[in-house]
Amino acid sequence: MRPRWLRSVGISIGALALCSLFYGHHYSSLISAGSRTPREGVGYDLPSKSLEWIPAVSHGRERNREQTETLRVQRPSKEQVPDTCPTSLQLRVKNDSYFNTLFNFEVPLLLWNSHMTERNWDILGKRPVPYGWKDLPQEDVASTLKLLNDSAHRVMFRRQGPQKCIRCAVVGNGGILNGSRKGKEIDGHDYVFRLNGAVIKGFEKDVGTKTSFYGFTVNTMKNSLISYNEYGFTQTPKGADLRYIFIPSDLRDYVMLRSGILGVQVPSGYDKGDKPSVYFGPKPSPRKFKMLHPDFLLYTRERFLKSDILNTKYAGLYMPSTGGLMLLTALHSCDQVSAYGFITPDYNRYSDHYYELQKIPLEFYANHDMILEMQLWGRLHDKGIIKLYKR
Ligand SMILES: *[C@@H]1O[C@H](CO)[C@@H](O)[C@H](O)[C@H]1NC(C)=O
Ligand SMILES: *[C@@H]1O[C@H](CO)[C@@H](O)[C@H](O)[C@H]1NC(C)=O
Ligand SMILES: *[C@@H]1O[C@H](CO)[C@@H](O)[C@H](O)[C@H]1NC(C)=O
């Protein structure tokens, strides 16, 4: 146990970090009961008819080519085998008249070198971060994307065969996991996604130990290292099989990713002087890094998490949460998805995070819409598309 004064310094640094992150705008008044008018029973909109979601590149072809190659090698000759996992969430989505209109499994999920085209620079260059490259120096974006030239940058993982169902667990950091004893179940999945302040030591029985993907923005990763240090988040997850998923929320993410792959100190900008080895281990293989596509971020906002906050003066701050983005990433790459540590309607019963020493209530800020996310996870669970951990 640390001395009380040290803990309170830790918390105020954390609070400071949060303030700079959210510009201090507290959102609880906006979100208080009554101000949110439920729409059409489910509480969120169908995709807008006017939504002009233009894929920046035709992505399906690349992805299909990779899958076809895998299938060609592994498909047993003559035998009739289904192309996909027979219990895949894709089939459940197809079966559901509501979610069928939201999901587009052809959306570009990851960003890689061949996305650096003149056409993309025109389209993405008009959208502000995190949905595009507006105001970012072209040389920073181009030099980063150039390094994403391996097949590992184009897919989340390789499929082992057409019939194998890929089962993923996405572990949020919610207080509901305290005492859950779900560690073994979580580790039993093919891939485990974690994010931000993912404390493991001391909570193995509740959250497991396996980490296949760690998702973050450089801002949330560094804030987590400061704010949750006192709870044991003293370093980012590391491991031979671990992959880092960058959410490109601003220039910092492009510059850090480039420095991480090149294995050099961050040369300029907000994180100047940072050693990427601190975050990603010494001499990480370039194949350890992936970056989400700005189109995917826009798609998640427009189709799944089109918050009322977008109609307020806080619109520019709003984006889906890191946990929400990781869960949607899993939904667009795995066959079966279980979500642990995500917000449920009884969130008042739990602390903000599973590792706090005393109960700290969940706070709402203008940059995310946790109530909307809660409704989405609940609805996906009710439709059998995800398995959401509840108590
Ligand atoms: C699709 O819906 C039909 C009819 O409701 C049901 O019988 C079938 O099991 C569903 N399939 C999946 C994959 O959920
Ligand atoms: C990717 O680019 C780097 C640097 O330009 C180069 O050394 C490497 O061989 C390339 N990798 C592939 C798979 O093309
Ligand atoms: C975690 O669970 C334990 C046992 O139920 C409880 O005593 C403790 O207060 C919980 N921690 C928080 C932060 O809620």
Side-chain angles (χ1 to χ4, degrees), residues 86-96 383-384:
T87 56
S88 79
L89 67 91
Q90 296 199 20
L91 294 177
R92 288 177 201 277
V93 165
K94 220 181 253 173
N95 229 9
D96 185 86
K383 294 290 184 173

Side-chain angles (χ1 to χ4, degrees), residues 65-277:
R65 186 174 55 76
E66 297 246 347
Q67 275 176 1
T68 317
E69 278 170 7
T70 319
L71 292 180
R72 200 183 303 135
V73 176
Q74 311 218 345
R75 186 191 285 264
S77 55
K78 295 269 160 77
E79 235 174 285
Q80 272 301 105
V81 287
D83 276 7
T84 51
C85 161
T87 56
S88 79
L89 67 91
Q90 296 199 20
L91 294 177
R92 288 177 201 277
V93 165
K94 220 181 253 173
N95 229 9
D96 185 86
S97 59
Y98 176 68
F99 280 116
N100 191 28
T101 64
L102 264 59
F103 275 88
N104 176 354
F105 290 103
E106 294 302 312
V107 69
L109 180 60
L110 296 173
L111 190 60
W112 66 78
N113 63 338
S114 47
H115 292 134
M116 195 64 221
T117 61
E118 224 169 280
R119 179 164 173 273
N120 274 356
W121 188 259
D122 281 349
I123 297 170
L124 293 168
K126 291 192 179 77
R127 290 190 213 137
V129 289
Y131 310 106
W133 297 332
K134 190 165 189 266
D135 300 331
L136 300 186
Q138 185 164 9
E139 72 238 39
D140 283 317
V141 177
S143 59
T144 302
L145 263 63
K146 207 178 122 201
L147 300 171
L148 300 173
N149 60 347
D150 193 280
S151 59
H153 298 126
R154 303 176 174 217
V155 288
M156 289 296 290
F157 41 76
R158 294 219 163 261
R159 294 192 166 257
Q160 284 157 25
Q163 256 189 320
K164 170 95 167 75
C165 298
I166 304 284
R167 298 174 61 242
C168 297
V170 188
V171 186
N173 299 323
I176 191 173
L177 279 172
N178 176 27
S180 69
R181 294 298 181 258
K182 285 284 155 187
K184 255 198 193 135
E185 189 180 301
I186 289 169
D187 285 347
H189 290 77
D190 296 308
Y191 297 100
V192 179
F193 291 68
R194 298 183 198 268
L195 51 116
N196 293 346
V199 179
I200 288 182
K201 199 159 182 282
F203 295 90
E204 294 87 348
K205 287 206 170 81
D206 289 341
V207 306
T209 58
K210 182 171 174 173
T211 307
S212 320
F213 298 106
Y214 175 69
F216 58 89
T217 72
V218 171
N219 192 37
T220 64
M221 175 181 75
K222 289 178 70 170
N223 279 337
S224 297
L225 285 167
I226 296 168
S227 305
Y228 311 129
N229 181 286
E230 65 165 329
Y231 303 121
F233 193 67
T234 52
Q235 55 166 320
T236 51
K238 301 196 176 65
D241 295 331
L242 195 148
R243 303 286 177 265
Y244 295 101
I245 304 181
F246 280 68
I247 299 167
S249 72
D250 69 22
L251 180 61
R252 295 172 66 186
D253 300 291
Y254 292 90
V255 172
M256 182 67 79
L257 176 56
R258 185 183 62 202
S259 308
I261 293 181
L262 293 175
V264 299
Q265 271 190 24
V266 177
S268 60
Y270 195 95
D271 304 296
K272 184 174 175 178
D274 273 15
K275 293 197 179 84
S277 61

Side-chain angles (χ1 to χ4, degrees), residues 1 4 21 39 121 123 306 325:
M1 185 72 98
R4 182 187 293 265
L21 178 58
R39 284 156 272 159
W121 188 259
I123 297 170
K306 196 163 189 170
L325 288 171

Side-chain angles (χ1 to χ4, degrees), residues 178 351 356-359:
N178 176 27
S351 194
E356 275 127 14
L357 305 174
Q358 274 146 21
K359 187 175 167 188

